[in-house]
Each structure stands twice: as structure tokens, then as C-alpha cells.
Amino acid sequence: MPDGAQPVLDVRGLKTVFHTRGGEVHAVNDVNFHLMPGELLGVVGESGSGKSVTMMSLIRLLPSPPAEMRSGQVLLGGLDLLKASPEELRQVRGARVGFVFQDPMTSLNPVFTVGNQIMEPLRTHMGMTKAQAETRAVELLELVGIPDARKRLKAYPHQFSGGMRQRVMIAIALACDPEVLIADEPTTALDVTIQAQILELVKELRQKLGMAIVWITHDLGVVAEIADRVLVMYGGQVVEQAPVKELFRNPQHPYTRALLRTIPRLGGQRGERLQAIEGQPPILVGPPVACPFRGRCTHVMPVCESQNPARRPVDGQPLGFGHDVACHWSPEPGHA
């Protein structure tokens, strides 16, 4: 590892398949990435690109069957989560790895109070008494910006707005001071004002707590604002990885370039049509034997039809630590 630093999370060769009547769906294909202490890693791509399935595979949240984590390693400290026992996984989920799910409207249990749902991991993982857990729950609600926190412990999820429920979800994920926080599109269902508040909250919490964060999103604007490094996923694979400023300055993969062109621009012509990526995401039945983006790519070559490109470094840094891309095509300097 460069300069002796060790990743808090190290994912190597992760493959996840779903067994269906139509065949094996290869949803995650040889994904490799790491997460350094205190780092915020943005994961971007269209719906169906494998972002959520990859992150749920890490702590084995997918139902088995039909899901199967076929190969790879997910190293959290010295523990390989893909080989961990059910008891070891229970100790990891919520305690060492916090997870904020996509939809705050359905992720909370409607029949338990918010206080009960925050206190449960505190009592399970940290052995707190009810009084200690209640005190900590109040602190967590205050930390995520919910006023009159002690009174709100007795409220039910339906008594909270969408933004407040998302704050509660973040409080639950933070309850046991996890080493890693995975946030799966936590602002998708929220209006832009609440989204901005949640982003500010995450930046503040990261500064206060120093945890490593994986932030899954469709929104490249959010990535530009909060991420240190970005993974671009397509067809269940990582097609490009780079520090955030480098990715926006010098995108190498045609898919990354296409995503960046879809961002609305200030100062554009009134009535100008928004850019779109033509075509549809690939059907992932069967193992990948060719480039998954070839059917939508403007730079497709014969080799793309027969070989799935491996990730290669762009800037001479070790693979995964600088800028790398999985593409047979190489843009000329300054090529748009």
C-alpha cells in the first residue's frame, strides 16, 4: 500500500450471481476496490449497473437463494466477510459497518418507536442498559439535527417527514460508531432542500467522527461536492476509478464521458434538449465475455466484441490508487 496506509475495507475479485429461471444473472463481475480510513468513496452509474448489489454483497444482505457470492474476498480488518460465520456477521452489521438504505419511507419499522429502533443496536452490540441506550439515542438524534430529541424518541416513523426519517436512518447507522458507513442513494426520495441538508450533515459527521464512507448515487453533482474518489460502474463492473477532480477533468471511459455530458449546464440555451445515453443497459445473463458497453459506445472496435477489457492504470499509479480504466480505447489528449 502507498505510504504504508492500510485500507479499512478491501474488496478483491467479488462476483455475485442470481440463479433465475432464465439462467444465471451475473450481477457483480470481478469487482475490486478499497476504502481508506476517513475516505469518502462515491459509486456512480445508471440503475442496474450493480452499485447496490455490490454493497449488499459485502455484508451478505442478499437472500440466498437466489443470490450467491460466488468468489472473492471482502476484508474488514483481518476478517473476510464472505467466509464469516453468522455470529461474526451479526457482530459486523450495525456495529462495524453501518448501512443507510435507499428509501427512508419504508426502511423503518412502522410498529416500533424511533427510540426503540435506535436503541436496539446499542443494546445488542454495545451491551448498554436501557437508560444508557436512551441517553445515547438522544445524543444521536441531536447529532443528526432532530430538535426536541428526547420527546421524539417516543414518536413512530409515520410522525416524521421524509427528511427526518432519513436523519433517523443515519442515526441508526451511526449508533455503534462504525468503521464504515455505506449510504445507498440516501437522498434520492428527498427534495433538493432536504438533500442539501443531508449532504451538509454527512460532511459534518465525517469531520467529527472520521469514519470511512461509501456513497452510492446517480447524481454526479453530489459526487463532485462530497467525494474524494469515484468508482464508475456499468454492467456489474468497475469501468473507471479515479480521484474525483481527476475524473471530472480527464474522464477516460466512453461511459464516464457520456454520464458527464448528461449533467444539465448553467448558462445553456433555453429550450435546449438534455443529453441522454442512447440504448439500454446490458442483460447480464451469462458471464461477461465482451465489453458490456459495446452496444452503446461511439468508439467500439472489433476487439470489444470478443474481449472484456481489464482495468489498467492511466497515470502510472498502482492499480486502484490512482486513475484506472477498463477500456480498449484510449482517448487522445484533449479528445471530448
Side-chain angles (χ1 to χ4, degrees), residues 134-188:
E134 183 173 316
T135 299
R136 173 64 172 156
V138 171
E139 292 173 356
L140 286 163
L141 288 184
E142 290 174 345
L143 184 66
V144 298
I146 292 181
D148 202 7
R150 188 168 294 278
K151 181 178 178 181
R152 300 310 293 271
L153 285 181
K154 298 178 181 178
Y156 288 85
H158 72 271
Q159 296 173 288
F160 287 74
S161 67
M164 298 288 264
R165 289 189 220 186
Q166 195 59 279
R167 290 170 184 265
V168 171
M169 289 295 300
I170 293 172
I172 293 172
L174 295 175
C176 300
D177 296 329
E179 300 164 50
V180 177
L181 176 68
I182 299 173
D184 188 358
E185 300 190 40
T187 59
T188 298

Side-chain angles (χ1 to χ4, degrees), residues 167 190-199:
R167 290 170 184 265
L190 308 178
D191 64 59
V192 292
T193 303
I194 302 301
Q195 175 175 286
Q197 293 175 1
I198 296 294
L199 293 179

Side-chain angles (χ1 to χ4, degrees), residues 271-334:
E272 183 180 354
R273 290 181 65 87
L274 295 175
Q275 292 273 352
I277 304 175
E278 298 295 331
Q280 297 294 324
I283 297 172
L284 300 176
V285 175
V289 294
C291 174
F293 192 58
R294 67 192 185 281
R296 307 170 75 185
C297 184
T298 56
H299 303 286
V300 65
M301 301 180 292
V303 68
C304 304
E305 301 288 348
S306 59
Q307 292 182 25
N308 189 10
R311 287 167 65 184
R312 56 180 172 81
V314 172
D315 54 5
Q317 295 292 318
L319 195 65
F321 288 89
H323 189 173
D324 60 69
V325 65
C327 188
H328 296 298
W329 173 74
S330 296
E332 297 175 5

Side-chain angles (χ1 to χ4, degrees), residues 19-32:
H19 300 279
T20 72
R21 292 180 180 178
E24 287 187 347
V25 176
H26 289 247
V28 179
N29 297 301
D30 197 25
V31 166
N32 297 271

Side-chain angles (χ1 to χ4, degrees), residues 60-79:
R60 289 161 51 188
L61 286 176
L62 298 171
S64 179
E68 176 193 351
M69 275 62 78
R70 177 157 291 176
S71 63
Q73 291 181 301
V74 179
L75 302 175
L76 181 68
L79 178 64

Side-chain angles (χ1 to χ4, degrees), residues 119-134:
M119 291 161 62
E120 181 183 7
L122 294 168
R123 302 192 70 182
T124 300
H125 295 298
M126 305 187 77
M128 290 186 179
T129 65
K130 184 177 180 180
Q132 290 171 330
E134 183 173 316

